[in-house]
């Protein structure tokens, strides 16, 4: 039977967890200064809720219809071991895939924290996929990341926006959507390629595994002026990824699917509403990849450069 996870606080108003790195600290400090939207949930509280829900969920598994248990076990094992699946997930409908994703997030909560935002991913057939971003997945430029030993890593360039008001959830025009965005954040997303080869672009499988997102490396936030209007959002948002030998590994000048950043925000809102969720002040939204994802062939230093209407940004990181 489906598990009711509505009682869990899926919005961590306190924003990104402090890992002792400059830009991440700045995000956290701003949320504490804001003081709106309720109390900041502590990691201990989030972990307790998650573990309690997990216990309840597994107690009820004896009556859980297939393919839930089988798919869930594969997803949990793959994510925990960072090892690529040796067989395909069972055929999943959208509801079951979402439920498995919720189980995965509850299982990760004690270590990775609560949700702080959402990422718009694209399946191979163009279907949008909603990925949940947890607070401890974030780090900042200059970080060294631990590579998986039994799965390849995909790297993609991403633009995040920071929501400054819950009113954006009801915004009906592009100008009102734009008014709800306070910052643009250059970012690099690192995903573990955990799915069986035939399912790597499947929407349901990507949802169940939360797209394999492992790290988000943030650059310095770029402020969106208060007087800004929608015309800036229709200008090019460019990015490129450069390897240690100076070779350009990926580059692009538009979001995945060819939509504008404001349209991407609306699409994320629509996906969340379908799941009975909403945006909150402080949420970070990944609008979609710029350029193609790159499979990293080995350890080394990489540099991502971003050129936006709101300024220039850079993210430097290494995979070890």
């Amino acid at each position: 039977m489906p598990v009711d996870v509505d009682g869990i606080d899926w919005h961590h108003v306190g924003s990104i967890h402090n890992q002792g790195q400059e830009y991440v600290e700045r995000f956290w400090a701003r949320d504490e200064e804001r003081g709106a939207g309720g109390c900041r949930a502590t990691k201990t509280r989030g972990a307790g809720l998650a573990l309690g829900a997990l216990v309840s969920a597994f107690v009820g598994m004896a009556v859980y219809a297939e393919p839930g248990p089988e798919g869930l076990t594969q997803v949990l094992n793959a994510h925990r071991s960072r090892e690529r699946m040796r067989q395909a997930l069972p055929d999943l409908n959208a509801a079951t895939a979402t439920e498995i994703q919720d189980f995965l997030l509850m299982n990760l909560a004690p270590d990775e924290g609560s949700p702080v935002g959402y990422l718009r991913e694209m399946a191979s057939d163009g279907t949008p996929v909603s990925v949940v971003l947890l607070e401890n997945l974030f780090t900042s430029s200059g970080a060294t990341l631990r590579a998986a030993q039994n799965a390849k890593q995909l790297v993609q360039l991403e633009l995040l926006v920071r929501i400054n008001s819950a009113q954006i959830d009801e915004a009906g025009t592009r100008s009102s959507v734009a008014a709800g965005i306070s910052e643009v954040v250059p970012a690099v997303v690192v995903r573990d390629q955990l799915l069986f080869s035939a399912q790597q672009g499947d929407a349901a499988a990507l949802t169940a595994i939360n797209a394999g997102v492992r790290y988000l490396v943030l650059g310095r936030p770029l402020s969106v002026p208060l007087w800004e209007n929608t015309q800036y959002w229709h200008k090019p948002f460019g990015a490129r990824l450069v390897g240690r030998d100076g070779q350009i590994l990926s580059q692009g000048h538009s979001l995945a699917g060819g939509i504008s950043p404001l349209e991407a925000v609306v699409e994320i809102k629509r996906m969340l509403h379908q799941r009975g969720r909403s945006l909150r002040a402080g949420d970070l939204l990944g609008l979609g990849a710029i350029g193609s994802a790159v499979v990293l062939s080995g350890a080394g230093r990489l540099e991502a450069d971003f050129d936006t209407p709101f300024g220039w940004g850079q993210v430097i990181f290494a995979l070890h």
Side-chain angles (χ1 to χ4, degrees):
M1 58 185 293
V3 176
D4 180 10
V5 296
D6 292 338
I8 296 176
D9 182 8
W10 288 98
H11 295 88
H12 189 288
V13 183
S15 192
I16 299 171
H17 182 68
N18 179 351
Q19 296 288 356
Q21 305 190 46
E22 178 186 359
Y23 309 143
V24 179
E25 286 182 316
R26 289 184 62 227
F27 276 115
W28 197 15
R30 270 197 299 274
D31 273 348
E32 290 184 334
E33 291 168 3
R34 184 181 70 245
C39 297
R40 179 168 58 86
T42 64
K43 188 172 180 180
T44 302
R45 175 178 176 271
L49 284 171
L51 289 174
L54 256 183
V55 171
S56 298
F58 282 103
V59 167
M61 272 200 174
V63 293
Y64 193 101
E66 293 291 350
E70 181 184 357
L72 175 61
T73 299
Q74 284 181 264
V75 166
L76 292 177
N77 288 341
H79 205 284
R80 181 169 50 249
S81 65
R82 300 186 71 182
E83 183 173 352
R84 186 174 175 178
M85 296 178 187
R86 299 183 181 181
Q87 63 182 34
L89 286 168
D91 290 335
L92 303 173
N93 59 36
T96 303
T98 298
E99 197 164 344
I100 291 176
Q101 182 189 38
D102 286 342
F103 270 112
L104 173 64
L105 296 172
M106 289 187 288
N107 190 63
L108 295 176
D111 295 320
E112 304 299 350
S114 302
V116 295
Y118 305 92
L119 179 71
R120 171 182 167 268
E121 188 55 60
M122 298 291 289
S124 57
D125 63 358
T127 301
V129 173
S130 176
V131 178
V132 181
L133 303 179
L134 304 178
E135 56 181 334
N136 291 343
L137 300 179
F138 290 83
T139 186
S140 60
S141 184
T144 297
L145 311 178
R146 183 170 60 86
Q149 299 301 312
N150 298 306
K152 295 180 180 179
Q153 275 73 60
L154 288 172
V155 173
Q156 60 194 51
L157 307 173
E158 193 86 25
L159 278 177
L160 274 62
V161 296
R162 181 180 174 85
I163 302 304
N164 63 14
S165 171
Q167 293 180 359
I168 195 173
D169 200 62
E170 304 299 328
T173 65
R174 290 181 179 180
S175 60
S176 57
V177 170
I181 299 172
S182 61
E183 291 176 331
V184 171
V185 187
V188 170
V189 177
V190 180
R191 298 165 45 202
D192 289 344
Q193 202 170 42
L194 301 175
L195 293 172
F196 190 68
S197 56
Q199 291 184 318
Q200 288 176 9
D202 179 75
L206 283 169
T207 298
I209 201 71
N210 205 40
V213 171
R214 182 65 57 169
Y215 304 109
L216 290 94
V217 190
L218 304 183
R220 187 177 297 277
L222 306 172
S223 295
V224 177
L226 294 176
W227 46 261
E228 193 282 323
N229 56 44
T230 59
Q231 66 178 354
Y232 283 85
W233 292 101
H234 294 285
K235 294 183 177 182
F237 286 76
R240 67 175 187 171
L241 180 67
V242 181
R244 58 179 178 267
D245 56 359
Q247 180 183 3
I248 296 177
L249 304 177
S250 178
Q251 62 181 338
H253 295 88
S254 62
L255 301 180
I259 67 175
S260 74
L262 298 182
E263 290 170 336
V265 173
V266 172
E267 188 172 83
I268 292 172
K269 287 202 308 174
R270 182 169 57 249
M271 288 190 288
L272 292 179
H273 290 172
Q274 290 173 349
R275 297 174 66 164
R277 299 175 189 169
S278 57
L279 293 177
R280 302 273 186 93
D283 279 348
L284 289 171
L285 305 183
L287 304 184
I290 300 177
S292 57
V294 176
V295 177
L296 295 185
S297 57
R301 178 183 182 275
L302 294 97
E303 178 181 310
D305 300 318
F306 297 81
D307 187 10
T308 83
F310 306 105
W312 180 84
Q314 186 178 65
V315 175
I316 298 173
F317 68 103
L319 197 68
H320 176 68

